[in-house]
Amino acid sequence: MNLFAEIRGLVLDALSGMVADGALPPDLDIAVVSVEPPRDPGHGDMATNAAMALAKPARMAPRALAEALAPRLAADHRVETAEVAGPGFINLRLASSVWRNAVRAALEAGPLFGRSEMGAGRRVNVEFVSANPTGPLHVGHTRGAVFGDALAALLRFAGWEVTREYYVNDGGAQVDVLARSAYLRYREARGEAVEIPAGLYPGDYLKPVGEALSEQFGDDLMDLPEESWLPDVREFAVERMMDAIRADLDLLGVRMDRFFSERALYDTGLIEAALKRLDEAGLIHVGVLEPPKGKTPEDWEPRPQTLFRSTAYGDDIDRPLKKSDGQWTYFAPDIAYHFDKIERGYDLLIDVFGADHGGYVKRMKAAVAALSAERTPLDIKLIQLVRLFKDGEPYKMSKRAGSFVTLRDVIEEVGPDVTRFVMLMRKNDAPLDFDFRKATEQSKDNPVFYVQYAHARVASMLRLGAEAGVATEDRALAAADLSLLAHPAQLALAKKVAEWPRQVEQAAASFEPHRVAFFLNDVASAFHALYNLGRDEPALRVVQPDDPAGTAARLALARAVSVVIAAGLGILGVTPAEQM
RNA sequence: GCACCGGUAGCUCAGCUGGAUAGAGCACCAGACUACGAAUCUGGGGGUCAGGGGUUCGAAUCCUCUCCGGUGCGCCA
């Protein structure tokens, strides 16, 4: 239950009351009325802009409207004071029982505290990673994987039904290159001295694939022409690469619900079906594209091409569907793939792309709009690049893959929890600096430990409380006499707990899991502050063996904090620590 | 040339989708462990929100122009 939404309901009721009394004209647009925490806590617990937002349509002065509205709000038992301030804000101070109830609600709901029904069971497909099956995942993929996974978890927590999906690009020229590279490693495994020519994949990670091919086929492939061995080797190598990728994702704690094969699209006729749909809508034509201004490719020559009229849906130019040799461009199967997602009946599609695919956004949105008759929204989240550092120096080389740092390199060095949390501390569309040294140091430069420490501290208190003879199960703590929580610092912390459901909804509504990470930092900070107050004011110490009732109440508050932290870390995919 | 993303404290970044005096961490300065876990806390200095113009009760947030950085721009995915 989102307390802010609840109080907003109270404001709206009060406004309706004023309409009924003739104090306000009917048909006001109440969508603009908001209830938010004021920036300055000194102003109260919540503030509403209702008077200012409605002043003009109601043809009243903002402050006059506020003066009329405030007493109606103050009449509610949850509201202690309602004061008009500034240009027409109404600042609300809520009864402390409201905050105590939030603590109790957290204990009763446990891991489900903060869950929202906002998604209302609607179905969303989150496609992420989707790296080419030609090698191990690198750091860039890692960020996309972490983001997509956390976004999926967040939406699920907010009441969506979520599918995590990976599109396997196993149909293009790049997997033929993979097959040729693997074939050379195969010859190498058969005892031949090989050199990997430019244009093929040189990484050592293909050596085991070559050896496995050697084991499976013996000398059978040695004297065959390429067209004979290529399909088998390709399938073999792609499977091996996908196994490796799945293992990499597993290290990160990412599990996909579905891997969707591009190659399968060719066999099922789905590409033709999708393009037929576009053709029937008059969105396919043959035309000649203008060369890009300012940077004309040297071998540019005007050429008639089969084009998708993406300009009809806001793209800058129409996009080619066929190469000059008659093959599909990569765009054509991608259209078909999204057509399939639409046909599967999702209410929302989300694609997580690397920022280098930013130029692809408009055409993909155009395709989905056209194929779904603008019924299926597509949101595309771009993930900016990760810059790796070690002791402040740029860090590029990998022991394993040579030219790039792999996901496995990162996980082995800093572990999944730190990797995930650090990568989720940034907005997806801002570049991210990742310093290996800081991440491994486990110092205060490392925000993960700050949050985990708070969680571990609560666990420690619960252990001490139990030793002192206090029942520390959530159910028992929920029954404690919470009216013993009266100190402003305690109530301030309870307010943080009460904010969690709202934070979930806001993060989910904007598809921004990083907000969860920032909020957890906030909660941890408020908790640590209260804890340290106990040094100067012994009455605030949580565990006091000579005061079982008070200890139970304070433990209830502490446990509510750890409930929120555990729930938030659960969304981020980070382990909440019991001890450190 | 065009498109997309970014520009907020010395550094790294938030800023609740238009609200009140713009925040946090790091760094720097001064403090708090015989005390429930000091991986913590308290206090302090530090800003032309890249710049100009506009929209309105009110702009870091929306519109527009300029500057700077990143990414992309038919037959790579």
Side-chain angles (χ1 to χ4, degrees), chain A residues 85-265:
Chain A
F89 285 102
I90 302 174
N91 290 328
L92 302 175
R93 210 169 290 276
L94 300 192
S96 42
S97 61
V98 169
W99 311 117
R100 296 181 188 124
N101 286 341
V103 169
R104 184 167 290 120
L107 294 170
E108 285 169 351
L112 298 181
F113 180 61
R115 255 200 81 108
S116 165
E117 291 307 317
M118 196 172 79
R122 283 173 294 168
R123 299 174 63 222
V124 55
N125 181 294
V126 183
E127 181 210 330
F128 60 114
V129 190
S130 297
N132 286 341
T134 54
L137 298 178
H138 55 69
V139 267
H141 299 132
T142 308
R143 188 176 181 192
V146 167
F147 175 84
D149 191 52
L151 176 59
L154 173 63
L155 292 178
R156 188 180 146 82
F157 201 66
W160 290 82
E161 191 185 317
V162 184
T163 303
R164 291 171 166 86
E165 194 155 312
Y166 185 124
Y167 179 58
V168 184
N169 288 104
D170 55 1
Q174 75 283 352
V175 284
D176 290 345
V177 175
L178 172 72
R180 291 188 197 103
S181 310
Y183 182 73
L184 280 182
R185 293 300 188 188
Y186 157 76
R187 298 192 76 92
E188 184 178 48
R190 298 308 295 167
E192 210 169 277
V194 303
E195 217 166 287
I196 309 292
L200 295 192
Y201 300 119
D204 285 352
Y205 58 86
L206 286 177
K207 283 185 178 171
V209 179
E211 282 160 17
L213 281 167
S214 166
E215 204 164 303
Q216 170 137 351
F217 292 99
D219 279 328
D220 292 356
L221 306 180
M222 290 298 281
D223 299 320
L224 295 178
E226 177 176 300
E227 58 267 29
S228 302
W229 55 255
L230 192 125
D232 286 341
V233 171
R234 185 176 57 204
E235 189 184 341
F236 189 93
V238 166
E239 270 174 26
R240 286 307 179 106
M241 290 301 104
M242 287 312 298
D243 284 346
I245 286 171
R246 265 186 279 259
D248 283 352
L249 290 175
D250 204 51
L251 283 178
L252 250 194
V254 174
R255 188 146 301 142
M256 295 288 170
D257 297 309
R258 179 162 185 178
F259 288 84
F260 192 101
S261 160
E262 175 193 358
R263 184 161 290 276
L265 292 168

Side-chain angles (χ1 to χ4, degrees), chain A residues 57-77:
Chain A
R59 310 175 74 86
M60 290 176 72
R63 286 201 61 112
L65 208 171
E67 298 289 357
L69 177 58
R72 290 172 181 264
L73 300 178
D76 190 89
H77 69 279

Side-chain angles (χ1 to χ4, degrees), chain A residues 213-483:
Chain A
L213 281 167
S214 166
E215 204 164 303
Q216 170 137 351
F217 292 99
D219 279 328
D220 292 356
L221 306 180
M222 290 298 281
D223 299 320
L224 295 178
E226 177 176 300
E227 58 267 29
S228 302
W229 55 255
L230 192 125
D232 286 341
V233 171
R234 185 176 57 204
E235 189 184 341
F236 189 93
V238 166
E239 270 174 26
R240 286 307 179 106
M241 290 301 104
M242 287 312 298
D243 284 346
I245 286 171
R246 265 186 279 259
D248 283 352
L249 290 175
D250 204 51
L251 283 178
L252 250 194
V254 174
R255 188 146 301 142
M256 295 288 170
D257 297 309
R258 179 162 185 178
F259 288 84
F260 192 101
S261 160
E262 175 193 358
R263 184 161 290 276
L265 292 168
Y266 293 91
D267 304 333
T268 55
L270 203 61
I271 297 177
E272 289 76 8
L275 297 187
K276 183 163 171 250
R277 170 80 60 110
L278 294 178
D279 198 22
E280 286 166 358
L283 292 168
I284 291 190
H285 67 115
V286 175
V288 180
L289 290 175
E290 295 285 314
K293 292 205 165 109
K295 191 199 139 203
T296 308
E298 294 196 1
D299 59 346
W300 179 274
E301 48 181 280
R303 192 195 311 269
Q305 288 177 296
T306 304
L307 300 171
F308 165 49
R309 203 183 293 281
S310 53
T311 48
Y313 289 92
D315 200 358
D316 307 303
I317 56 169
D318 291 337
R319 303 293 175 176
L321 298 168
K322 276 187 180 175
K323 303 183 198 171
S324 51
D325 64 1
Q327 298 251 319
W328 298 117
T329 62
Y330 55 87
F331 187 37
D334 227 0
I335 289 175
Y337 171 47
H338 282 77
F339 182 53
D340 185 74
K341 288 199 267 193
I342 291 166
E343 293 287 292
R344 279 187 261 155
Y346 289 106
D347 299 295
L348 171 66
L349 302 180
I350 298 178
D351 288 354
V352 179
F353 288 172
D356 55 341
H357 286 54
Y360 205 54
V361 170
K362 284 187 180 178
R363 78 190 69 170
M364 210 62 252
K365 287 191 171 182
V368 168
L371 286 168
S372 73
E374 302 192 58
R375 275 198 293 268
T376 307
L378 167 67
D379 201 307
I380 299 181
K381 305 295 281 184
L382 295 179
I383 305 298
Q384 273 295 343
L385 53 101
V386 179
R387 289 180 303 201
L388 279 182
F389 294 88
K390 194 160 197 169
D391 293 324
E393 296 293 315
Y395 182 75
K396 282 197 175 358
M397 297 307 286
S398 157
K399 288 164 232 144
R400 194 171 279 106
S403 57
F404 54 86
V405 177
T406 65
L407 178 149
R408 192 170 285 263
D409 292 330
V410 176
I411 300 297
E412 283 176 0
E413 193 136 349
V414 310
D417 283 342
V418 174
T419 303
R420 293 186 66 120
F421 198 90
V422 169
M423 290 193 166
L424 289 168
M425 279 294 287
R426 292 282 170 279
K427 230 175 2 188
N428 58 288
D429 47 13
L432 166 73
D433 291 348
F434 190 97
D435 194 302
F436 267 85
R437 181 70 61 203
K438 283 184 183 171
T440 42
E441 244 173 24
Q442 312 207 345
S443 72
K444 55 165 89 176
D445 279 348
N446 202 328
V448 196
F449 294 98
Y450 187 76
V451 173
Q452 287 191 324
Y453 182 43
H455 190 270
R457 254 187 174 170
V458 174
S460 166
M461 289 171 176
L462 290 171
R463 287 190 292 267
L464 285 173
E467 281 172 27
V470 176
T472 56
E473 303 79 35
D474 287 355
R475 182 174 299 186
L477 293 176
D481 178 9
L482 297 183
S483 69

Side-chain angles (χ1 to χ4, degrees), chain A residues 118 154-155 158 160 379 503-512:
Chain A
M118 196 172 79
L154 173 63
L155 292 178
W160 290 82
D379 201 307
Q503 293 287 340
V504 169
E505 293 194 344
Q506 289 189 330
S510 54
F511 307 134
E512 291 182 341

